[in-house]
């Protein structure tokens, strides 16, 4: 199983416009699909890199 780091949760908070504390609670209760969250983080990073070029 994939574990989200604090840095990942902070980025996910930026993407979803939620608070870090709220997302941290959801992650600790295993209410977030980690694979989907990682997919969203990858897409977000890709879009950021694509805008730089």
């Amino acid at each position: 199983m994939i574990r989200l780091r604090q840095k990942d949760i902070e980025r996910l908070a930026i993407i979803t416009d939620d608070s870090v504390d709220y997302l941290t609670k959801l992650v600790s209760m295993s209410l977030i699909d980690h694979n989907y969250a990682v997919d969203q983080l990858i897409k977000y990073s890709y879009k950021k890199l694509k805008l730089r070029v």
Side-chain angles (χ1 to χ4, degrees):
M1 180 201 253
I2 299 170
R3 293 199 49 139
L4 294 176
R5 300 171 299 175
Q6 187 63 28
K7 183 191 294 188
D8 298 330
I9 294 171
E10 291 168 2
R11 286 186 189 149
L12 199 57
I14 293 169
I15 295 169
T16 61
D17 289 330
D18 284 327
S19 71
V20 174
D21 293 333
Y22 177 68
L23 289 175
T24 302
K25 287 179 185 178
L26 292 178
V27 168
S28 68
M29 293 189 304
S30 299
L31 295 176
I32 290 184
D33 181 8
H34 293 262
N35 291 328
Y36 181 76
V38 170
D39 287 344
Q40 295 305 311
L41 291 169
I42 291 169
K43 288 178 185 178
Y44 176 75
S45 296
Y46 174 75
K47 287 178 183 177
K48 259 178 79 175
L49 287 173
K50 191 175 175 184
L51 289 175
R52 287 185 184 175
V53 175

